[in-house]
Structure formats: C-alpha cells, structure tokens
Amino acid sequence: MSLLKKPKKADEMSPSPITNDSRQRRQNYQYAGMNSNSHNFHDGLEDGDREALLQDSEMPVHRGLTGNKGELGNILLLLFLYILQGIPLGLAGSIPLILQSKNVSYTDQAIFSFVFWPFSLKLVWAPLVDSLYIKKFGRRKSWLVPTQYILGLFMIGLSYKIDDLLGGDHKPDMFALTATFFLFEFLAATQDVAVDGWALTMLAKENVGYASTCNSVGQTAGYFMGNVLFLALESADFCNKYLRFTPKPKGMVTLPDFMFFWGAVFLITTTLVAMLKKENRNERSSREETQSVKEAYTLLFSILKMPAVLIFCFMNLTAKIGFSAADAVTGLKLIERGVPKEHLALLAVPMVPLQILLPLVISKYTAGPKPLDVFHKAMPFRLLLGLEFAILVWWTPKVSHEGGFPLYYYLVLLLSYALHQITLYSMFVAVMAFNAKVSDPLIGGTYMTLLNTVSNLGGNWPSTMALWFVDHLTTKECVGAAGQSCVNLDATGLCTQFGGSCVTTLDGYFVESIICVIIGFGWWYFLGPKFTKLQDEGQSSWKCRRRSVF
C-alpha cells in the first residue's frame, strides 16, 4: 500500500512505505525461482543476458569470491552503479509525500503517478539498448556512459528549477513536474537495462551469481538515501528533535542541494568509468551479439500470440485492482491527517530484515508444481488488510495531539505494515516462481521480462486510477457561506471568498476502499480459480514455436 508505487524490486514504484512494490520486485526477483526448475533471473535483462545466466548459474556460486583483486573491483563497481540507480528512484518516491504536505489534490497525485511507469515499460525499448551500440567503446558503456552523463546534468539543472516546479509560493505545475520526473525515471530505467546486461559479462563465470546481490543491496541503499534519508534530513522537525542542539527553521538538507550533490557524483564517477573501465570480451558477450532489434521484437510478438500467455497477462493486469486504494492512497491520507512524512518514511527501516527473510521463507512453499496456490490463498488476507488500513486512516486524527502521535499508534502502524508485507510478498514470490517455471528456457530472458513487465504494469495502472478517483468520489459542503458549494475549484474559491470553508462530508478514499475490496473479492472468487488452473497447462502451452527468429 502506498503508505508513503512496484516495485519491484521493485511491483510498481510506489511512493509509500506500506507498499514499495517496485523496489521489492527489484530487490527480491532472484528469490522467485531459487527452488524451482529455473535459475536466477533478473527483471530487465535482455534475452542473450538471461540465456547466458541460465548456463552460468549451473556453476556453484557464492562459495567464496574467486579470481584476482580485479574481480572484487568489478563487484564493487556494480554495487556502486546500482546505488546510483537507486537515487533517482528514491527521489521520485519522495515527491508525492512533499506534494501531499502542500495539499495538492489526489487528481494531481494521479497525474504524477505516471512517473513510476518507465520501470514497468522498459521492455519496450530494452531491445534497442541491447542491439545498438559502438563496438569499440563497449556494448554496455555505449548506453551507460551517456545515460549517466545526462542523468548527472539533468539533476544539476533540475536543482535550480525544482523549487519552482514544486510550487514555491504558488500551486505546483503538475504537468511540467510529471514530464520532468518521467524523463528522469526513463533515464534511470535505461541505465538499469545497461547495468543489468553488463553485470553478466563484467563478472567471471563462477562469480556471476553476485550480480543479483549487487542489485539488491545497491538499489536498496540508493533508494534509502534518496527517499528515507533525504526526507529525514530535509525535515526541520526531525533535525531539530534528533540531530540538533539549537533548533532552526529548515532541515539540514534541501532538495536542490541534494540533487546538485548527486548530479555532481554522477558526472565524476561516470567520467572515471568511461576512462578507466573496459568491457570484457568473452564467450557470453560474443553470443549476445547475435540478436538484432528485429529479432527481439519479433520474439516478443510471437510470445504474446500464445493463448496461455494472453490469459495469464489478462489475469495479471486485473488481479491488483482490489489493492489499489490501499496501496496508492493510504500513505498520502495518513500525511493529510497529520502523520509526519519523514516518520512515515522511516517505517520502512525496521521492515528491511523482514523483507529479506520473507522471500526466502515463502520460496519454500512456491517451489512445487503449483506456486499460484500461495497467491490465491494470500489474496483475501491482503484485501482484508485494505479495510484495516481504511480503519487506521479513520482512527488517525482521533489519537493525534499537539505533540504528535503516541508510541502505540506507530506500533499499530508498524504491525499493520508488517502483516501487509507478508501478504504482498506471498503473492509476489508466487507469481515470480510461476513465471520462472513456465518460461521457455530457449528464450527465457525475453519471456521472463515480458511476464514480469505485465505483472508490474498490473500494479501501476490501478494505482493511478485509484488516485484519480479519490477527489471525484469525495463530497464537500460549504459551511459559513449561504448559497455556496464546493463542487469544484472555482466553487471552493467562492466559498472561501464569501467567508465560508469547505468541509468534507464523505471521503472518497473510504468509498473507494470498499469498492476495491468488493472488486478484489469478486476477482478472487470468480477468476482466481481460473488463474490457478493455468498451472495445469502442459509445457507445450507455454513454448514459443517461432524459433526462426534466431
């Protein structure tokens, strides 16, 4: 739930600490098939990359780093590149919380939510990144270096404009802000494709398993710095309470300063990578070069034409409608009702051990022939937690006081978050395990990327719609000004002008929460059995017959 958008590992890149689906998908992708017939796959890797990993993963890895000191340097470089990747993700995740503190509408939040779509759509342009490059400079460096230079310059330039985009003394320019950060995330997603691909050829064959560790640790650290750490240091209240002896009106860090600093880091480190790091020429990199842009896109369309894949995609695109209100709106509602955004962000910190252990535990139950059974069993509990979150939002203003919120309130919030994580990971790992199970090994890379792209998109579009409908389902009345109403912004302005104020009589979030849960249980009862029945399909139903693309 988007307490603070997945995401997913990032399921959508969620701005909330309740549901960091996008980040979770990225962090835990490797657990999905660890006990299944398939091996360690990574979201965003291209076809050749994954086929190489299929073969390389047969080697025993993680028994100790082998090779010379240069291999340790490669691992540290990958780790740092993934940290850089997490910074834009964390910054984008912090913007909705900042906007909420400025009392923007939920319609505006829906517009901004499109920023989180690029990581769910990168399969559209990943074949271009994989196939078009300057051979002398390096296949991955051809995209990594210019992309990171643009990201660095983008962040430095944005540091001078961000305050104005966020509104300053006026209302934020939502379309300009959304377009700016959409491009920001598009560049980060492109960098992700390049780094994921380079990870498999940068490391020696026996050490390639460390790529997933670098991804998980690096992107988590980057997201933490760009989101949780930034929000804490940007908050004057947090800094005055925990980090300062003398209170000051502003936090220790501003958004422009933070973006300028990391923009400079991008530029300096990218220059060093361009000058000092050469790409390895090995068997895997040579094998990758056989795939053209036309072959990659032909393969995608041939997979999509299979009936079983079409049904699975439809199910994935509709399964998360029931969670959309809880995932996308709850965190913003808590901020609206007085919970400090930095405290909400910090809730993610004690969840890190749980988020690490859950995929390991759940994968034991999804390793068999029917992983989607776990998905179906967890779904009603996650839906009921959506209602519990609605009750939590209703309860929040009743326990607030001048000093903030009591400790027991945060404990309830933390427990609710933990229970939500258990259900979320159960469904997520189950789908990842099924994707790994049915993917055709001969085209595993493209197949897995396609299935997971659909899963990610299945969380993005309902969240955007949930944010959009909150304002439309909310009813308000003008109190203190006879004959006035609050049906739109103009009417609200007139109400205020005549000395009145708009009072909410029915919060659309609660209406939406009930509607979503009803839709969710309807999906679970009527479509859930058909979804799990896909496990009974034979392997021939999932095999792509168009081998001629190779």
Side-chain angles (χ1 to χ4, degrees):
M1 130 188 172
S2 234
L3 260 195
L4 269 186
K5 56 164 215 206
K6 205 111 189 149
K8 209 284 291 315
K9 175 164 178 18
D11 200 67
E12 314 72 43
M13 180 55 65
S14 170
S16 156
I18 286 293
T19 300
N20 294 304
D21 275 349
S22 64
R23 196 158 45 90
Q24 290 162 349
R25 278 194 300 275
R26 297 291 303 154
Q27 293 165 354
N28 301 293
Y29 196 166
Q30 64 268 30
Y31 298 117
M34 58 167 52
N35 292 319
S36 68
N37 295 328
S38 299
H39 293 283
N40 225 12
F41 292 102
H42 252 303
D43 184 24
L45 300 186
E46 295 81 14
D47 190 34
D49 296 332
R50 290 183 193 263
E51 289 180 23
L53 185 53
L54 271 170
Q55 298 180 30
D56 295 340
S57 60
E58 311 229 354
M59 300 294 296
V61 296
H62 294 301
R63 295 182 180 177
L65 183 62
T66 61
N68 54 31
K69 293 182 179 179
E71 193 71 346
L72 177 60
N74 288 337
I75 290 177
L76 293 176
L77 174 59
L78 278 178
L79 181 64
F80 184 73
L81 291 175
Y82 281 119
I83 289 175
L84 290 183
Q85 183 185 119
I87 297 297
L89 303 181
L91 281 171
S94 69
I95 297 300
L97 308 186
I98 296 174
L99 290 173
Q100 194 66 16
S101 64
K102 294 177 176 290
N103 298 316
V104 302
S105 69
Y106 286 93
T107 302
D108 287 340
Q109 291 280 15
I111 294 171
F112 188 81
S113 69
F114 283 103
V115 165
F116 304 106
W117 285 48
F119 267 80
S120 297
L121 299 174
K122 62 186 176 182
L123 181 62
V124 175
W125 67 90
L128 298 176
V129 178
D130 187 45
S131 304
L132 304 176
Y133 57 95
I134 302 172
K135 184 175 293 187
K136 290 184 178 180
F137 190 57
R139 181 175 195 169
R140 305 305 174 183
K141 285 174 63 178
S142 294
W143 286 90
L144 178 71
V145 170
T147 299
Q148 289 199 169
Y149 269 133
I150 296 172
L151 272 168
L153 293 172
F154 195 91
M155 294 176 76
I156 291 175
L158 189 56
S159 68
Y160 292 98
K161 297 290 185 180
I162 187 63
D163 283 341
D164 188 57
L165 287 173
L166 287 172
D169 296 328
H170 55 85
K171 184 180 178 181
D173 185 343
M174 290 308 304
F175 287 101
L177 186 67
T178 301
T180 299
F181 273 87
F182 185 91
L183 178 58
F184 195 30
E185 295 304 287
F186 171 82
L187 292 169
T190 303
Q191 189 256 22
D192 177 49
V193 174
V195 176
D196 280 349
W198 198 6
L200 296 180
T201 57
M202 183 186 295
L203 300 179
K205 187 175 182 181
E206 60 270 21
N207 294 323
V208 72
Y210 285 98
S212 61
T213 303
C214 293
N215 185 305
S216 301
V217 176
Q219 196 180 70
T220 301
Y223 190 96
F224 180 87
M225 288 188 285
N227 187 282
V228 179
L229 182 62
F230 162 69
L231 288 172
L233 296 179
E234 186 262 350
S235 169
D237 291 338
F238 183 88
C239 293
N240 291 337
K241 187 174 182 180
Y242 299 107
L243 303 176
R244 287 173 175 155
F245 295 106
T246 304
K248 294 183 179 180
K250 291 185 178 182
M252 300 175 67
V253 173
T254 65
L255 183 54
D257 291 341
F258 190 85
M259 299 192 79
F260 187 94
F261 170 80
W262 281 106
V265 171
F266 265 85
L267 294 180
I268 294 171
T269 56
T270 303
T271 301
L272 293 175
V273 170
M275 295 175 60
L276 303 178
K277 180 63 181 175
K278 294 182 179 180
E279 289 195 39
N280 296 329
R281 297 289 299 176
N282 55 30
E283 292 182 3
R284 278 175 288 144
S285 61
S286 298
R287 183 167 60 242
E288 286 177 343
E289 294 175 3
T290 61
Q291 188 174 352
S292 68
V293 175
K294 181 179 178 181
E295 288 173 335
Y297 284 112
T298 301
L299 181 59
L300 286 176
F301 286 118
S302 65
I303 295 172
L304 280 171
K305 290 180 180 179
M306 293 187 289
V309 173
L310 282 174
I311 295 172
F312 184 72
C313 288
F314 171 77
M315 294 292 187
N316 262 308
L317 288 172
T318 55
K320 296 177 183 176
I321 296 176
F323 317 125
S324 57
D327 288 359
V329 187
T330 302
L332 302 177
K333 276 293 175 182
L334 290 175
I335 294 175
E336 179 185 314
R337 295 185 173 226
V339 180
K341 61 181 183 299
E342 62 276 8
H343 290 177
L344 203 57
L346 287 169
L347 283 178
V349 177
M351 289 295 102
V352 171
L354 181 65
Q355 292 171 345
I356 293 173
L357 293 174
L358 277 176
L360 294 171
V361 175
I362 296 168
S363 63
K364 296 180 181 179
Y365 298 94
T366 59
K370 295 183 178 293
L372 293 183
D373 287 352
V374 175
F375 180 99
H376 192 250
K377 290 177 181 178
M379 187 171 182
F381 294 100
R382 187 174 172 185
L383 289 168
L384 290 175
L385 280 172
L387 291 179
E388 192 267 343
F389 284 137
I391 295 173
L392 190 61
V393 170
W394 170 82
W395 181 54
T396 296
K398 300 182 181 301
V399 296
S400 64
H401 51 75
E402 291 184 3
F405 292 87
L407 178 61
Y408 67 83
Y409 171 80
Y410 286 107
L411 291 176
V412 171
L413 199 59
L414 191 62
L415 177 61
S416 300
Y417 182 17
L419 292 174
H420 179 268
Q421 293 294 289
I422 294 173
T423 59
L424 184 151
Y425 272 90
S426 296
M427 297 178 66
F428 165 68
V429 175
V431 170
M432 295 300 104
F434 182 76
N435 290 352
K437 176 177 177 289
V438 302
S439 293
D440 190 336
L442 295 181
I443 51 175
T446 301
Y447 211 133
M448 280 285 288
T449 304
L450 173 63
L451 295 181
N452 285 292
T453 295
V454 173
S455 297
N456 294 353
L457 188 58
N460 278 96
W461 79 263
S463 294
T464 297
M465 296 302 295
L467 288 166
W468 185 271
F469 278 110
V470 171
D471 286 336
H472 298 285
L473 293 173
T474 298
T475 58
K476 298 180 179 181
E477 65 178 20
C478 182
V479 177
Q484 301 300 317
S485 66
C486 300
V487 295
N488 52 44
L489 288 176
D490 292 335
T492 300
L494 288 174
C495 174
T496 305
Q497 183 178 339
F498 284 99
S501 61
C502 289
V503 176
T504 299
T505 56
L506 180 62
D507 194 324
Y509 166 70
F510 298 115
V511 177
E512 192 174 79
S513 295
I514 295 173
I515 293 174
C516 285
V517 169
I518 292 173
I519 293 174
F521 272 108
W523 191 100
W524 175 76
Y525 184 80
F526 292 105
L527 297 181
K530 296 180 180 179
F531 188 51
T532 56
K533 196 174 181 180
L534 287 171
Q535 299 170 123
D536 300 328
E537 295 281 347
Q539 281 297 115
S540 60
S541 299
W542 304 97
K543 286 186 177 180
C544 181
R545 294 175 175 79
R546 292 191 61 176
R547 312 290 187 193
S548 59
V549 296
F550 297 102

